[in-house]
């Protein structure tokens, strides 16, 4: 079985779907000849041609809004936004239109669109290249928000996203694009949207994370002696509440790690659901380790912003000591 | 060093039927007498519906209503140029175009009365009306692009107001349409006002039609109150697109005779005199003058058409007023193809709350 990183896994998923379904098309800035700034579409232009791999004019709202029309009229567009910080211009189109087409037409029309974007910090990039945008979209009924943290899931989830009948925001953890290599089957497979994964079983404490943070959380937790259950959320919306609740019922303790700003970050929603469904199982207040409520800093300060081993272990020890 | 003119551009204006009801026979589009009568009957139906819907709002029988009064020729001439298989992307003021495109009038009232089911069309490819300004324009471009990729000879037509041309979405639409040479017709209904803001404050450009030039596509300005000019320009643009030649931008110069919406009072920002001037240039008056002079209309026929239109509209109002309220479940049911667990749980909660 070949070893792949997330970039290669994304490319394998795109290739699979481009081969299998002639309605599938990939559109965005530099996704054609250049193969994408992160090389996610490398080689696909030569394989599938300029009608399937489309270098669009440089406009994120233009990419998303025309992709909406394409999706409504029977195509399966996969739109790439080069960095998640550039997605804001397309926000109106995603919220006001893509998310509501099925509902506003009472089921006559749908918008099977995938918007892929690398997200998150930790790569010493320019301003607005490191945004964590997941909560904006998780707040919008009609959109699904999927975040793989492993190559295997990246391929399986992206195939599911392309086949999904509804619009999916597919956020790729830029910091670990090439940092994890693992077995990824050549053959086609899917990973279901809306299902979290128990990354590691444990009995003392549940730690929940997703995206790039999952890898760094897992590494930090190797330094802890507690028996820790780690959950990879994988889909932010719709959230797999059941897997989270079952785990917290078992452990009675919970820490959530996300790198987005703290206020209204996705950890807040997870905490609310645990409070609604498993409050009396809790042995201690839930802790969240998050980015701060400030602009994402430039390279020299980003390591102070991102949740790290020290902050994660501090939260774990605090929850375990209560 | 060289300094020279490298390109010169022209903007065409088209009028076939003037304000006195005279046509330029050389420019007259290919329409049979039967079709001309059909156009007239549709125009009267549109006006009758619009006036009636306005009074229904005043009586509290529907919610906010957006009048299209004065823009009948602009909407009729464009919608009439399409086949049922073509796509239409209407905006909130496109009620008239929707009537032409067989969207049942009782469903227009149903939507205005607060039920989303009114937006669902069957069979014919009408998209739900857009509420944000201008954002629908690129949808039509994407839709047309799909038709092109599928090798279908299908055209997408979209309406926006002149206010919508100030939005980035409009420019994205023209740009993507031009680059990909898609079978799309973009209709700007320049009705002189975006709520209260006059046309001159939307752009320093002399016309909206000339915005096509910058994107390398065809553009034309049309007398939007002249049914023949609008139809001619639209038919040519639709045929041009269907043949694979690419998009056209059509600016229909018209006038919003009513308020922006039933919540607006246009007297605050424009004079009666101005409205009266445009009334005289309206689409119905000149059409009737033409028809009378060409023996297509007499008093008897005019009365008959008015009566029939009134009866049709009354019948549709009855259907509307006898509609059942939508199921409460519907507000959640169409969020995704399948309700998520989260929504199912909230639906149970909702059911308990309304018991």
């Amino acid at each position: 079985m070949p070893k792949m990183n997330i970039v290669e896994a994304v490319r394998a998923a795109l290739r699979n779907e481009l081969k299998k379904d002639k309605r599938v098309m990939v559109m965005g800035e530099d996704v054609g000849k250049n193969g994408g700034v992160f090389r996610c579409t490398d080689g696909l232009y030569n394989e599938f041609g300029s009608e399937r791999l489309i270098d669009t004019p440089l406009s994120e709202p233009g990419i998303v809004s025309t992709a909406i029309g394409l999706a409504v009229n029977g195509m399966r567009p996969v739109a790439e936004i080069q960095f998640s910080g550039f997605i804001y211009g397309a926000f109106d189109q995603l919220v006001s239109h893509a998310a509501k087409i099925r509902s506003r037409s009472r089921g006559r029309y749908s918008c099977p669109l995938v918007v892929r974007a690398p997200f998150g910090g930790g790569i010493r990039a320019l301003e607005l290249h490191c945004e964590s945008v997941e909560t904006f979209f998780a707040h919008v009924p009609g959109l699904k928000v999927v975040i793989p943290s492993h190559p295997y899931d990246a391929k399986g989830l992206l195939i599911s996203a392309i086949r999904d009948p509804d619009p999916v925001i597919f956020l790729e953890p830029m910091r670990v694009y090439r940092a994890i290599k693992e077995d990824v089957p050549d053959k086609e497979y899917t990973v279901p949207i809306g299902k979290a994964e128990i990354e590691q079983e444990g009995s003392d404490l549940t730690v929940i994370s997703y995206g790039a943070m999952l890898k760094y959380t897992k590494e930090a937790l190797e330094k802890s002696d507690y028996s820790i259950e780690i959950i990879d959320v994988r889909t932010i919306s719709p959230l797999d509440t059941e897997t989270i609740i079952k785990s917290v019922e078992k452990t009675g303790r919970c820490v959530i790690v996300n790198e987005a700003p703290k206020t209204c970050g996705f950890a807040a929603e997870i905490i609310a659901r645990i409070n609604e469904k498993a409050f009396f199982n809790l042995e201690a207040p839930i802790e969240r380790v998050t980015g701060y409520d400030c602009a994402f800093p430039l390279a020299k300060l980003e390591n102070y912003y991102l949740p790290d081993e020290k902050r994660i272990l501090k939260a774990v020890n605090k929850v375990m000591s209560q | 060093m060289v300094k020279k003119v490298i390109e010169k551009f022209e903007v065409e204006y088209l009028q076939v039927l003037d304000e006195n009801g005279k046509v330029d026979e050389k420019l007259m589009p290919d329409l049979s007498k039967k079709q001309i009568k059909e156009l007239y009957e549709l125009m009267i139906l549109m006006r009758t519906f619009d006036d009636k819907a306005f009074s229904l709002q005043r009586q509290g029988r529907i919610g906010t209503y957006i009048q299209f009064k004065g823009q009948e020729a602009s909407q009729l001439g464009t919608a009439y140029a399409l086949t049922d298989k073509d796509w239409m992307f209407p905006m909130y003021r496109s009620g008239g175009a929707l009537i032409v495109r067989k969207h049942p009038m009782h469903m227009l009232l149903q939507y205005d009365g607060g039920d989303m089911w009114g937006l669902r069309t069957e069979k014919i490819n009408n998209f739900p009306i857009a509420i944000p300004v201008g954002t629908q324009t690129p949808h039509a471009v994407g839709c047309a692009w799909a038709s092109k990729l599928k090798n279908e000879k299908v055209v997408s037509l979209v309406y926006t107001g002149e206010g919508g041309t100030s939005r980035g979405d409009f420019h994205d639409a023209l740009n993507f349409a031009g680059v990909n040479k898609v079978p799309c017709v973009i209709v700007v209904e320049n009705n002189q006002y975006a709520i209260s803001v006059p046309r001159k404050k939307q752009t320093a450009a002399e016309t909206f039609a000339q915005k096509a030039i910058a994107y390398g596509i065809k553009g034309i300005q049309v007398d939007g109150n002249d049914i023949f000019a609008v139809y001619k320009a639209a038919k040519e643009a639709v045929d041009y697109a269907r043949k694979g030649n690419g998009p056209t931008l059509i600016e229909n110069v018209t006038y919003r005779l009513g308020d922006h919406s039933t919540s607006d009072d246009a007297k605050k920002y424009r004079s009666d005199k101005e409205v009266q001037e445009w009334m005289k240039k309206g689409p119905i008056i000149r059409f009737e003058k033409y028809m009378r002079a060409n023996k297509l209309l007499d008093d008897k026929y005019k009365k008959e058409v008015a009566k029939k239109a009134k009866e049709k509209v009354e019948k549709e109002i009855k259907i509307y007023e006898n509609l059942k309220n939508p199921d409460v479940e519907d507000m959640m049911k169409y969020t995704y193809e399948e309700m998520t667990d989260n929504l199912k749980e909230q639906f149970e909660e909702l059911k308990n709350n309304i018991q």
Side-chain angles (χ1 to χ4, degrees):
Chain A
M1 197 181 293
K3 298 253 185 228
M4 284 188 201
N5 59 33
I6 291 179
V7 169
E8 291 159 341
V10 164
R11 190 187 307 138
L14 292 172
R15 177 179 284 119
N16 192 81
E17 292 307 282
L18 282 160
K19 257 190 196 163
K20 186 166 178 134
D21 184 347
K22 63 179 189 330
R23 301 172 301 169
V24 174
M25 55 194 281
V26 175
M27 56 197 288
E29 295 153 11
D30 308 295
V31 300
K33 271 192 176 171
N34 188 41
V37 294
F38 286 101
R39 326 301 318 149
C40 285
T41 55
D42 202 20
L44 298 180
Y45 181 87
N46 287 339
E47 209 173 327
F48 298 99
S50 59
E51 280 204 347
R52 314 277 312 275
L53 266 290
I54 296 144
D55 281 322
T56 63
L58 209 164
S59 166
E60 288 78 13
I63 293 166
V64 171
S65 58
T66 53
I68 288 171
L70 283 157
V72 165
N73 192 5
M75 302 304 285
R76 292 275 173 159
V78 183
E80 178 178 304
I81 301 296
Q82 207 158 63
F83 290 89
S84 63
F86 306 164
I87 210 167
Y88 302 124
F91 198 66
D92 184 20
Q93 286 289 343
L94 289 165
V95 176
S96 306
H97 293 292
K100 295 183 174 67
I101 283 167
R102 183 184 294 284
S103 168
R104 297 191 72 240
S105 67
R106 285 294 181 256
R108 164 106 195 256
Y109 301 116
S110 59
C111 186
L113 157 74
V114 178
V115 177
R116 293 179 40 239
F119 91 113
I123 62 156
R124 308 176 76 77
L126 296 165
E127 282 183 275
L128 285 166
H129 285 57
C130 302
E131 306 282 291
S132 287
V133 297
E134 66 272 23
T135 305
F136 296 135
F137 297 109
H139 194 62
V140 182
L143 297 180
K144 295 181 180 178
V145 184
V146 174
I147 304 176
S149 62
H150 286 279
Y152 180 90
D153 287 347
K155 180 175 170 185
L157 281 169
L158 183 53
I159 291 177
S160 292
I162 294 170
R163 294 178 188 178
D164 198 275
D166 290 300
V168 178
I169 310 295
F170 193 86
L171 299 172
E172 297 164 7
M174 192 162 61
R175 188 179 176 190
V176 294
Y177 252 156
R178 292 190 157 78
I180 310 165
K181 267 209 165 207
E182 65 183 19
D183 288 342
V184 175
D186 264 334
K187 67 171 178 52
E188 123 184 354
Y189 62 91
T190 57
V191 171
I193 290 175
K195 292 276 173 247
E197 170 89 339
I198 310 261
E199 175 84 15
Q200 172 185 301
E201 287 196 19
S203 54
D204 294 337
L205 164 73
T206 302
V207 175
I208 302 169
S209 190
Y210 53 86
M213 270 300 127
L214 189 90
K215 173 179 153 63
Y216 300 101
T217 300
K218 203 175 163 188
E219 283 173 9
L221 296 178
E222 280 166 15
K223 309 262 168 72
S224 171
D225 294 330
Y226 296 112
S227 166
I228 298 174
E229 183 139 301
I230 303 175
I231 296 177
D232 179 1
V233 180
R234 297 201 297 193
T235 300
I236 294 292
S237 173
L239 180 65
D240 178 1
T241 314
E242 198 187 336
T243 299
I244 292 169
I245 297 303
K246 268 190 187 158
S247 177
V248 173
E249 280 172 352
K250 182 173 74 176
T251 61
R253 290 181 161 86
C254 183
V255 170
I256 302 155
V257 186
N258 73 231
E259 66 174 272
K262 185 171 189 173
T263 299
C264 297
F266 204 71
E269 178 62 27
I270 295 174
I271 292 169
R273 295 209 189 183
I274 295 170
N275 277 342
E276 283 165 1
K277 292 180 191 292
F279 183 76
F280 293 107
N281 297 89
L282 289 175
E283 305 282 342
I286 303 165
E287 279 289 311
R288 54 179 158 164
V289 187
T290 70
Y292 298 106
D293 289 340
C294 61
F296 192 90
L298 283 176
K300 287 193 172 164
L301 297 178
E302 75 174 350
N303 287 342
Y304 298 99
Y305 177 93
L306 290 164
D308 61 6
E309 184 183 300
K310 196 173 152 197
R311 287 171 63 195
I312 292 165
L313 290 177
K314 196 172 152 195
V316 165
N317 292 330
K318 188 175 168 193
V319 169
M320 291 310 299
S321 68
Q322 284 172 318
Chain B
M1 299 294 251
V2 183
K3 191 182 176 202
K4 61 180 181 180
V5 175
I6 53 164
E7 285 275 20
K8 274 189 182 173
F9 298 102
E10 287 174 345
V11 185
E12 264 187 12
Y13 173 80
L14 180 69
Q15 185 193 57
V16 179
L17 173 68
D18 71 14
E19 289 157 32
N20 303 314
K22 294 244 158 39
V23 297
D24 184 333
E25 291 295 345
K26 293 193 300 294
L27 295 173
M28 190 63 185
D30 184 20
L31 286 166
S32 67
K33 282 183 181 172
K34 200 180 147 205
Q35 282 177 309
I36 291 173
K37 281 187 159 181
E38 188 188 12
L39 285 169
Y40 175 70
E41 286 162 24
L42 277 166
M43 205 186 270
I44 297 301
L45 181 64
M46 290 160 85
R47 176 66 62 90
T48 308
F49 174 82
D50 196 58
D51 285 343
K52 192 68 201 178
F54 179 78
S55 63
L56 288 181
Q57 190 280 333
R58 288 294 187 253
Q59 295 160 24
R61 290 155 77 187
I62 56 171
T64 304
Y65 179 70
I66 312 281
Q67 283 179 283
F68 51 81
K69 190 175 186 166
Q71 295 174 222
E72 290 87 353
S74 167
Q75 296 189 14
L76 172 58
T78 42
Y80 195 75
L82 297 172
T83 67
D84 285 2
K85 277 192 177 161
D86 291 329
W87 285 79
M88 188 183 85
F89 289 75
M91 59 174 284
Y92 51 77
R93 203 179 302 287
S94 308
L98 281 162
I99 292 173
V100 180
R101 291 275 291 178
K102 299 170 190 151
H103 193 91
M105 287 178 279
H106 69 264
M107 288 177 74
L108 294 175
L109 299 173
Q110 186 180 12
Y111 177 70
D112 296 326
D115 180 356
M116 196 70 96
W117 277 102
L119 287 187
R120 184 183 162 117
T121 42
E122 305 295 339
K123 292 175 194 148
I124 196 164
N125 288 329
N126 294 336
F127 206 62
I129 59 163
I131 299 299
V133 166
T135 50
Q136 71 281 12
T137 326
H139 302 160
V141 173
C143 182
W145 191 356
S147 297
K148 183 182 171 181
L149 291 169
K150 292 190 284 185
N151 284 317
E152 294 170 348
K153 302 279 176 211
V154 172
V155 176
S156 296
L157 182 143
V158 59
Y159 296 98
T160 181
E162 86 286 355
T165 68
S166 298
R167 289 288 304 252
D169 304 86
F170 174 78
H171 298 271
D172 277 327
L174 296 191
N175 194 33
F176 276 65
V179 169
N180 297 295
K181 215 176 167 188
V182 303
C184 186
V185 179
I186 295 150
V187 179
V188 174
E189 289 196 85
N190 169 11
N191 68 6
Q192 313 303 327
Y193 287 93
I195 304 189
S196 67
V197 180
R199 173 246 170 280
K200 279 224 175 309
K201 287 193 178 175
Q202 293 298 340
T203 180
E206 279 296 309
T207 70
F208 291 97
Q210 74 200 60
K211 290 179 187 279
I213 295 166
Y215 297 101
I217 68 172
K218 272 178 63 138
I220 183 169
Q221 190 187 59
V222 178
D223 180 342
N225 287 353
D226 164 0
I227 181 63
F228 296 138
V230 174
Y231 173 72
K232 184 183 169 72
K235 185 74 171 60
E236 282 175 9
V238 167
D239 290 347
Y240 183 80
R242 208 184 300 285
K243 281 180 194 145
N245 296 319
T248 304
L249 171 67
I250 297 175
E251 175 191 357
N252 285 341
V253 181
T254 179
Y255 192 80
R256 194 192 78 207
L257 287 175
D259 298 326
H260 162 70
S261 75
T262 45
S263 311
D264 176 43
D265 178 9
K267 287 194 175 70
K268 278 188 175 168
Y269 49 81
R270 64 185 192 187
S271 68
D272 268 350
K273 193 172 160 256
E274 181 187 300
V275 178
Q276 291 309 318
E277 286 299 310
W278 277 95
M279 282 263 195
K280 284 184 218 154
K281 294 193 276 190
I284 297 178
I285 298 173
R286 70 172 85 172
F287 196 13
E288 285 180 348
K289 278 183 188 163
Y290 163 83
M291 289 181 72
R292 207 178 277 276
N294 286 273
K295 310 225 177 319
L296 291 163
L297 175 143
D298 56 19
D299 289 346
K300 193 178 153 229
Y301 172 69
K302 191 178 162 177
K303 258 189 204 159
E304 254 172 45
V305 172
K307 192 172 159 246
K308 256 193 214 159
K310 206 173 159 239
E311 282 167 5
K312 259 190 195 170
V313 171
E314 291 295 344
K315 204 174 135 198
E316 292 285 321
I317 293 170
K318 272 215 181 90
I319 299 173
Y320 157 66
E321 293 199 314
N322 285 309
L323 288 172
K324 280 190 305 187
N325 274 339
D327 291 339
V328 176
E329 191 181 3
D330 290 350
M331 83 179 173
M332 293 184 178
K333 203 171 157 187
Y334 298 96
T335 310
Y336 301 97
E337 189 180 70
E338 265 182 62
M339 266 213 229
T340 58
D341 290 346
N342 185 42
L343 265 178
K344 280 181 197 157
E345 196 182 304
Q346 290 180 27
F347 181 56
E348 288 307 312
E349 189 190 322
L350 167 68
K351 276 201 294 195
N352 287 333
N353 287 340
I354 57 176
Q355 260 170 15

